[in-house]
Amino acid sequence: MRKRIHRIQALLLTVMLMLMMFSPVGVKAEEEQRFMLDYAGLISQEQSAELETKLDELGQKYEMHFVIVTDDDSGVTSPMEYADDFFDYNGYGAGTDRSGTLLYINLSTRDWWISTRGYGITAFTDAGIQYIGEQITEYLGDGDYYEAFETYVTLCDDFVAQAKTGEPYDVGNMPKEPYPFSGILLISLAAGLIVALIYILVLRGQLKSVAPNESAADYVVKGSLHVTNSREFFLYHTLHRTVRAESSSSGGGGGSSTHRSSSGATHGGGGGKF
């Protein structure tokens, strides 16, 4: 009887040891949080892994979560609700205020939406979100999804860094876009032409041997011209009008508008089509 009990105890101990050996691996796999979730298969696995690393590093840098989610579900009626709920119910957001931002791309409906929470609402204003949307939709519309996502990551870094200075990107305070090469070339050519024109005018002035004379008196022999009658006639006059710029009283407000998600959390955000 005792031998049987010892065998049962040994068997239970063996099972417990096996569970202890394998359970940590399973728990770790379940708890591992991903930030690049390409359910629509828009980019390669290598590109997805690169973006996962960049998003993770960016999150550690600012103590926020930066997430990108794609799918091709035509049944999604509201990209805003989908993005907010995906963020909330999957445990995203760092710190007590669960700060972060999520870019949602629906390939089927051609929608993009950026959901923000916590400090993300401060860093990404309504105007800032639309600015980011303009930058990434250029690539999304062409099917260059990796460039769109990489641009998004770069802009997230820029926007949060700017917000840390106390002046987030907003109306009247947007990132300075670099001049395109064609614009720089035209400006260089125009400057060169102006310099050349000034040089030519200087040389032309040095070559003049006579100067214009506004009066014809020097060409008339004294005493040879007698004016017997003179009158003045008004022919015409020239009127110059300048349009005065009127000040606009419709000053558009900046900042971030917010709403409540289905979980009751406060979110900011914005989106559009591509």
Side-chain angles (χ1 to χ4, degrees), residues 190-208:
L193 288 174
I194 292 173
V195 173
L197 180 61
I198 294 174
Y199 182 71
I200 292 173
L201 291 176
V202 171
L203 292 179
R204 182 181 176 185
Q206 294 176 350
L207 292 175
K208 286 184 177 180

Side-chain angles (χ1 to χ4, degrees), residues 39-40 70-75 104-109:
Y39 298 129
T70 75
D71 75 4
D72 55 358
D73 185 1
S74 59
Y104 169 61
I105 302 294
N106 190 318
L107 187 62
S108 179
T109 60

Side-chain angles (χ1 to χ4, degrees), residues 203-222:
L203 292 179
R204 182 181 176 185
Q206 294 176 350
L207 292 175
K208 286 184 177 180
S209 58
V210 294
N213 197 335
E214 297 179 357
S215 174
D218 293 340
Y219 304 98
V220 179
V221 179
K222 292 183 179 180

Side-chain angles (χ1 to χ4, degrees), residues 26 113 129 177 196 210 222:
W113 187 270
I129 288 173
E177 296 185 27
V210 294
K222 292 183 179 180

Side-chain angles (χ1 to χ4, degrees), residues 78-244:
S78 171
M80 179 188 75
E81 293 177 0
Y82 185 99
D84 291 348
D85 290 346
F86 196 99
F87 190 97
D88 293 341
Y89 294 115
N90 285 283
Y92 290 108
T96 56
D97 58 354
R98 294 184 63 179
S99 295
T101 180
L102 182 146
L103 170 64
Y104 169 61
I105 302 294
N106 190 318
L107 187 62
S108 179
T109 60
R110 312 292 289 183
D111 282 306
W112 67 268
W113 187 270
I114 295 176
S115 175
T116 58
R117 185 171 171 177
Y119 190 72
I121 298 175
T122 301
F124 299 87
T125 62
D126 293 348
I129 288 173
Q130 291 305 314
Y131 174 88
I132 294 175
E134 292 173 0
Q135 308 308 309
I136 64 175
T137 51
E138 295 181 5
Y139 298 110
L140 294 173
D142 295 335
D144 198 348
Y145 301 111
Y146 179 75
E147 287 296 330
F149 301 151
E150 196 172 45
T151 300
Y152 173 73
V153 174
T154 301
L155 289 173
C156 282
D157 191 356
D158 186 19
F159 270 63
V160 178
Q162 176 65 26
K164 295 292 185 180
T165 67
E167 295 183 3
Y169 286 128
D170 203 348
V171 177
N173 177 35
M174 284 297 172
K176 301 295 187 298
E177 296 185 27
Y179 283 105
F181 177 75
S182 57
I184 296 175
L185 181 61
L186 289 175
I187 293 175
S188 300
L189 289 175
L193 288 174
I194 292 173
V195 173
L197 180 61
I198 294 174
Y199 182 71
I200 292 173
L201 291 176
V202 171
L203 292 179
R204 182 181 176 185
Q206 294 176 350
L207 292 175
K208 286 184 177 180
S209 58
V210 294
N213 197 335
E214 297 179 357
S215 174
D218 293 340
Y219 304 98
V220 179
V221 179
K222 292 183 179 180
S224 64
L225 179 63
H226 300 279
V227 178
T228 58
N229 188 15
S230 65
R231 286 180 296 174
E232 294 182 355
F233 294 92
F234 177 77
L235 298 178
Y236 61 89
H237 74 277
T238 302
L239 179 64
H240 296 281
R241 295 181 181 272
T242 303
V243 179
R244 184 176 63 184

